[in-house]
Amino acid sequence: MLLAVLFLANYFKRFPNNIRWLIAVVIVCAISYVFVLLFKLYLVHTYLPTSATQTKFQGMILLQFNFANPRFFDHFATWFLPILCLALLRKDDTKLFKALSFIAMSSLWFVVIAHSSRALILEYIVIFIVLGILNYKLMLKFISWQILAAIVGAILFYIVHQIVGGSSILDRAFFANQDRWDLWAKSLALAAHYPLLGVGELNALYYLRDYPHNIVLTVAAQWGIIGLTCFLLVGLRSFRRACEYMRSYKHSALYFVAFASVLAGMTHAMLSNLFKLQLSQFSMIFAMGLLLSFMPQVLEQNSQKKCHMFFVAPLIITILAILIIVPFFTNVTF
């Protein structure tokens, strides 16, 4: 996966205009998925004999068509909704390409609303705050197009819901999340019980009977405090670098949507097992590769040394302290 990200970063750096092909593929996938979904709803509504059977099958198709878990498709929307907005933020693309991008965005929002996904609301709150501070001009255009696409998707969902029936997004208690809170509490307790190296990759599933649904708790529980320290070191430093480069690419819509896509994905990962699913991993490769294509390959030597000393020294001290102190306490009997 790392090699794929690096390959795409180098490819997009050399051929930035070819991002249109990626967007074109996403447009075809999004519009085709919604078209087939609506066509199946039409067939069920037309040919099934009773209204009760129609409602049952239509509700099932609308909620999880072609996916065992409706959240799987929401992960795809998380990574690519910001990237689809690229054509609407710059003047280089044709009107037809802009129109298709907007239709694809509306299609994804339709599916997200049908799935009653709450994670995307948090994603765009984070995007609005972070990128609004870094680049408010592009943020206003970006969020305006996303809101307009969400409105179109909501109207389409309302029309379909009036025909299909069943539950809607308004029937879901948005702040009722007790099962997830309990899972996070158990994950934190598991991480505290195995602080040094964790329980091992994928072994949290054995202890919790579920994934932690939080990337930080997943790393803490499975890899311990050493793995968590490395993860936070890489993640926070990468975020800081991305924020710094926004000054150089303030007028680049491509950099803006790439940053927004990765920010949305990492925000979603705080609420779900985003990186355990193949479709999400496949989508993440393109988003990460696109963002890394803007990173310079050569940094100034002095600043690089200062950054390394600033981040690596606390990491080394923390690891040494853990290796010395934790075994001492684990050998003590009470």
Side-chain angles (χ1 to χ4, degrees):
M1 186 181 297
L2 177 60
L3 292 177
V5 171
L6 294 177
F7 170 79
L8 287 173
N10 181 64
Y11 178 81
F12 288 136
K13 192 178 187 68
R14 295 175 59 190
F15 309 104
N17 291 330
N18 287 355
I19 185 64
R20 290 187 178 92
W21 290 104
L22 171 62
I23 298 176
V25 171
V26 177
I27 289 173
V28 172
C29 292
I31 296 178
S32 300
Y33 178 85
V34 173
F35 176 79
V36 175
L37 170 62
L38 295 177
F39 182 68
K40 288 217 169 190
L41 288 174
Y42 169 76
L43 293 179
V44 172
H45 182 74
T46 304
Y47 294 106
L48 280 185
T50 63
S51 59
T53 306
Q54 287 177 358
T55 301
K56 177 182 178 181
F57 278 94
Q58 286 174 333
M60 181 187 68
I61 292 173
L62 186 61
L63 181 62
Q64 57 185 71
F65 170 62
N66 211 35
F67 289 94
N69 188 327
R71 300 292 171 258
F72 295 172
F73 189 85
D74 296 344
H75 297 166
F76 175 83
T78 289
W79 295 106
F80 286 121
L81 261 175
I83 294 177
L84 282 173
C85 198
L86 174 63
L88 302 170
L89 295 179
R90 61 184 187 180
K91 302 178 181 179
D92 300 339
D93 298 296
T94 63
K95 293 182 179 179
L96 177 61
F97 196 73
K98 292 176 183 290
L100 290 174
S101 297
F102 182 77
I103 294 173
M105 286 170 57
S106 302
S107 300
L108 291 182
W109 276 112
F110 164 76
V111 178
V112 167
I113 293 171
H115 293 170
S116 303
S117 180
R118 297 171 294 181
L120 270 81
I121 298 176
L122 179 61
E123 290 173 22
Y124 282 86
I125 292 175
V126 173
I127 290 174
F128 180 79
I129 294 173
V130 175
L131 295 183
I133 295 173
L134 297 175
N135 194 342
Y136 71 92
K137 291 183 179 180
L138 279 178
M139 167 51 59
L140 293 177
K141 296 179 182 178
F142 174 82
I143 207 68
S144 298
W145 282 113
Q146 292 291 349
I147 292 174
L148 185 59
I151 292 174
V152 174
I155 294 173
L156 178 60
F157 172 78
Y158 176 79
I159 296 173
V160 173
H161 181 260
Q162 293 301 309
I163 301 173
V164 172
S167 61
S168 70
I169 190 172
L170 299 177
D171 298 327
R172 182 171 186 179
F174 276 84
F175 298 101
N177 202 29
Q178 187 58 43
D179 56 339
R180 195 61 58 85
W181 286 112
D182 294 340
L183 181 60
W184 289 341
K186 293 178 182 178
S187 302
L188 186 60
L190 181 64
H193 194 69
Y194 297 93
L196 187 58
L197 297 175
V199 297
E201 180 67 16
L202 297 181
N203 287 334
L205 183 62
Y206 170 78
Y207 290 94
L208 303 173
R209 305 301 178 188
D210 198 355
Y211 292 106
H213 286 76
N214 182 291
I215 185 63
V216 175
L217 291 177
T218 299
V219 174
Q222 296 186 158
W223 300 346
I225 194 170
I226 297 178
L228 180 62
T229 302
C230 297
F231 173 78
L232 293 177
L233 174 65
V234 174
L236 293 176
R237 185 182 178 188
S238 300
F239 175 74
R240 183 177 66 87
R241 286 286 186 187
C243 293
E244 290 176 351
Y245 291 139
M246 181 62 79
R247 299 176 183 176
S248 303
Y249 301 108
K250 202 156 190 175
H251 300 288
S252 174
L254 183 57
Y255 183 80
F256 183 91
V257 298
F259 194 175
S261 176
V262 174
L263 193 59
M266 297 308 297
T267 302
H268 199 135
M270 300 298 292
L271 304 172
S272 70
N273 55 330
L274 186 73
F275 296 109
K276 297 298 181 183
L277 306 173
Q278 286 75 17
L279 179 60
S280 178
Q281 293 173 356
F282 179 77
S283 306
M284 180 201 66
I285 288 173
F286 290 95
M288 291 287 188
L290 184 59
L291 182 61
L292 286 177
S293 67
F294 287 89
M295 302 299 149
Q297 297 179 353
V298 179
L299 298 175
E300 294 182 4
Q301 188 173 5
N302 293 334
S303 62
Q304 188 176 14
K305 289 182 178 179
K306 291 180 180 178
C307 291
H308 284 172
M309 290 301 296
F310 180 76
F311 284 102
V312 173
L315 176 62
I316 295 175
I317 294 174
T318 302
I319 293 176
L320 290 176
I322 292 172
L323 293 176
I324 294 174
I325 297 174
V326 173
F328 172 76
F329 282 106
T330 53
N331 291 330
V332 175
T333 57
F334 296 94

